[in-house]
């Protein structure tokens, strides 16, 4: 990746580091398998294609490495979040 591309990628910012740390603390178990500790945060929407959604916690999932590898290959099913409010359509903690 060239410097110009790297600089435009939202994942290389201090803001992303804070959002990532928040997600791993809020959801310590993998949101796909529920068996292993989450070590990575997956963007449901590509941060390059949808930069405005890069920090939206509703479009992020805490995953273990194995599940993140599978999620990068294509669509996967995630477990329902315990704090999801089905009436309001909110699927996660407040935006960071």
């Amino acid at each position: 990746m060239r410097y110009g591309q790297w600089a435009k990628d939202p994942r290389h910012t201090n803001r992303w580091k804070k959002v990532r740390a928040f997600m791993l603390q809020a959801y310590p178990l993998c949101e796909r398998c529920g068996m292993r500790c989450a070590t990575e945060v997956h963007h449901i929407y590509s941060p390059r294609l949808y930069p405005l959604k890069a920090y939206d916690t509703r479009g992020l999932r805490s995953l273990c490495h194995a599940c993140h590898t599978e999620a990068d290959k294509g669509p996967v099913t995630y477990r329902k979040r315990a704090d999801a409010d089905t009436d309001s359509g909110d699927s996660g903690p407040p935006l960071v």
Side-chain angles (χ1 to χ4, degrees):
M1 184 180 307
R2 295 187 312 202
Y3 175 75
Q5 293 171 326
W6 183 85
K8 293 178 185 176
D9 191 337
R11 294 173 294 182
H12 298 288
T13 64
N14 286 331
R15 184 177 178 193
W16 170 246
K17 291 176 186 177
K18 291 176 185 177
V19 172
R20 181 183 182 280
F22 172 81
M23 287 296 297
L24 293 175
Q25 183 178 12
Y27 303 102
L29 288 178
C30 178
E31 292 188 73
R32 182 167 181 251
C33 70
M35 303 286 287
R36 295 180 285 262
C37 290
T39 57
E40 302 177 13
V41 178
H42 177 68
H43 286 89
I44 294 174
Y45 305 102
S46 168
R48 291 185 188 175
L49 298 176
Y50 303 97
L52 297 177
K53 293 185 177 188
Y55 308 108
D56 186 345
T57 56
R58 294 172 294 190
L60 301 173
R61 296 294 180 262
S62 295
L63 302 176
C64 65
H65 179 73
C67 288
H68 193 204
T69 301
E70 289 299 312
D72 283 342
K73 291 180 183 177
V76 295
T77 304
Y78 301 100
R79 295 172 170 271
K80 185 174 179 177
R81 289 182 169 169
D83 61 354
D85 180 13
T86 55
D87 294 332
S88 68
D90 183 25
S91 62
L95 302 178
V96 177

